Amino acid sequence: MYILAIDTSCDETSVAITKGRKVISHIEYSQVQTHKQWGGVVPSVAKRAHMERIKPTINLCIKRAQRQIRGFTEKSIDAVAVTVGPGLAIALEVGITAAKELATQLGVPLIPINHMEGHIYSCFAQNAKGNPSRDIALPLLTVLVSGGHTELVYIKESDKYQIIGKTRDDAAGEALDKGARLLGLGYPGGAALERLARDAKHTDMFQFPRPMMHSKDLDFSFSGLKTSFRYFLENRTEKENLHDIAELANSYQEAVFEVLVAKTEKAILQFPAKTVAIGGGVVANQRLKALMRTMLRNHNRVLFTPPYAYLNGDNAAMIGVAAHFAASKNRYVKNFDLLDRVPRLSLENALKLQ
Ligand code: KG4
Ligand code: ZN
């Protein structure tokens, strides 16, 4: 079954064609350069850019699939999948409208997907040849670390998501972005912070606070860390801060990651999952992956991260893979008119689509 998947939840216009877990073709247009000058994503600008690009991206993705699969045409597409939330309302809307139009034109069903479900399945996407061939063993613990979300999700049965921990304020990616901005690294700053942190001579020289590290629950809070980082910087001279910039980046990043790793460790001791999968933009970070890998190895758990770099950030390939599993549960939309964006969609809320 070929699925054409669309994601316009934030600042990437992305389309993919997938078959099962295999990604046949995939395209994404990043708007990062456009939003950079504003220091964050501007919804109206994102909407306009999605509108300009969505149709050409769909057409190009179909063309690329034709190069991969002999005889492939748009008639080969069996279903259209689209992200319906969470995300920016007016950005999501562009993808949903395009998906409805295409599904109507092709006479195929629609599959609505939760963007975070996509990040979970990003760990199980395969290339066109079917590699890597990882098994999805349930129960599975997933750690979702993106710009908008930080969640620990326990999956005992397929299609049933239990959020066992989440952030009470900023997401991990947001905390990294805010820290990076305080260091003058621009937006989004997670990757720049990582590069700078690598140049540090020490690990965790400044030992910033670890909010909620020892709380009994599995929740997170990162806004206090950002505030104490800001006060710390303000109490020193600009020259001192510049001199120590790599150490500052390193210590700040360590504070965020140590809490993520500690809460993941707490979660595996409470929930019987042998496998842990991590998804979301922050998983691009090598230091986070190394810390998680070491901790999980000590507990004899298997760690999966997205197998190809393009699967770390937002992309439609992961939406297509998630849709393959949703289709096996018959999660199709019967009446297209009922399908609407759900900007605050949670993994625990099934969509009402009948
Ligand atoms: O999943 P994603 O692409 O978009 C959302 O759904 O939010 O995640 C974006 C987040 C941003 O906060 C960005 O700074 C962070 O992922 N990020 C990183 C790295 N690359 C992207 N954080 C740490 N290290 C990186 N290398
Ligand atoms: Zn995302």
Side-chain angles (χ1 to χ4, degrees):
M1 175 176 174
Y2 286 108
I3 295 176
L4 183 137
I6 297 173
D7 186 285
T8 60
S9 58
C10 190
D11 57 350
E12 318 269 348
T13 312
S14 183
V15 179
I17 292 173
T18 54
K19 184 180 188 188
R21 286 159 55 186
K22 291 184 195 147
V23 182
I24 308 299
S25 70
H26 165 253
I27 297 177
E28 73 192 57
Y29 280 113
S30 171
Q31 303 169 8
V32 162
Q33 292 310 323
T34 316
H35 296 290
K36 220 173 191 144
Q37 57 187 310
W38 310 106
V41 178
V42 183
S44 57
V45 175
K47 175 187 171 167
R48 202 172 332 118
H50 285 311
M51 285 177 72
E52 278 166 15
R53 280 173 175 166
I54 189 69
K55 284 199 177 141
T57 310
I58 291 172
N59 293 337
L60 188 58
C61 195
I62 293 173
K63 274 208 186 99
R64 291 216 184 144
Q66 283 164 348
R67 268 188 248 148
Q68 289 280 336
I69 310 278
R70 192 182 295 173
F72 185 93
T73 69
E74 62 177 22
K75 294 216 169 59
S76 315
I77 296 166
D78 300 293
V80 176
V82 64
T83 300
V84 292
L88 297 173
I90 58 176
L92 289 163
E93 209 166 73
V94 179
I96 295 171
T97 305
K100 285 182 186 175
E101 275 175 25
L102 184 65
T104 307
Q105 181 199 322
L106 298 175
V108 299
L110 260 181
I111 309 170
I113 296 294
N114 181 315
H115 179 80
M116 302 316 290
E117 203 177 6
H119 278 305
I120 294 172
Y121 282 107
S122 67
C123 294
F124 301 99
Q126 300 172 331
N127 66 11
K129 295 200 171 96
N131 293 316
S133 63
R134 301 168 169 176
D135 282 338
I136 306 182
L138 298 180
L140 174 75
L141 179 79
T142 61
V143 185
L144 297 175
V145 276
S146 71
H149 291 77
T150 298
E151 287 173 347
L152 292 169
V153 184
Y154 183 63
I155 310 171
K156 199 162 125 192
E157 270 174 69
S158 75
D159 224 30
K160 295 247 179 331
Y161 304 101
Q162 187 188 351
I163 299 172
I164 57 173
K166 62 175 184 302
T167 182
R168 296 190 179 173
D169 40 58
D170 295 350
E174 193 179 354
L176 294 171
D177 290 341
K178 286 179 175 172
R181 185 184 305 195
L182 289 169
L183 292 178
L185 301 180
Y187 176 87
L193 200 73
E194 175 179 24
R195 282 194 295 275
L196 201 53
R198 264 191 233 134
D199 294 337
K201 292 199 177 63
H202 309 88
T203 302
D204 200 16
M205 183 162 133
F206 294 108
Q207 303 189 356
F208 295 117
R210 271 69 170 148
M212 291 185 70
M213 173 104 157
H214 301 292
S215 70
K216 286 213 174 68
D217 54 32
L218 297 170
D219 283 349
F220 303 89
S221 164
F222 291 109
S223 73
L225 167 65
K226 174 208 65 194
T227 308
S228 62
F229 189 54
R230 199 182 74 222
Y231 287 147
F232 185 88
L233 297 177
E234 282 170 3
N235 280 322
R236 289 160 40 110
T237 65
E238 211 166 297
K239 203 169 156 203
E240 282 172 324
N241 286 336
L242 261 180
H243 177 263
D244 287 338
I245 193 161
E247 304 296 339
L248 288 163
N250 178 289
S251 299
Y252 187 79
Q253 194 183 258
E254 290 294 307
V256 173
F257 292 166
E258 204 177 300
V259 187
L260 285 175
V261 173
K263 289 288 165 112
T264 306
E265 183 169 32
K266 201 172 251 180
I268 55 164
L269 297 175
Q270 288 176 24
F271 291 83
K274 287 260 172 283
T275 313
V276 176
I278 312 183
V282 183
V283 77
N285 191 292
Q286 299 300 333
R287 175 70 179 158
L288 174 64
K289 277 194 274 211
L291 290 171
M292 281 284 187
R293 193 165 287 126
T294 307
M295 181 276 287
L296 291 168
R297 197 179 291 140
N298 290 340
H299 290 284
N300 262 324
R301 301 298 201 278
V302 177
L303 171 67
F304 288 143
T305 57
Y308 303 105
Y310 78 90
L311 294 163
N312 292 332
D314 290 347
N315 66 88
M318 67 186 192
I319 302 303
V321 177
H324 159 69
F325 292 95
S328 70
K329 294 274 172 184
N330 223 10
R331 268 173 45 194
Y332 294 106
V333 190
K334 302 235 163 39
N335 180 352
F336 289 8
D337 290 341
L338 290 183
L339 185 68
D340 202 357
R341 70 213 178 161
V342 191
R344 295 187 166 274
L345 182 62
S346 158
L347 277 170
E348 286 181 332
N349 292 49
L351 289 162
K352 293 184 185 63
L353 302 164
Q354 307 303 320

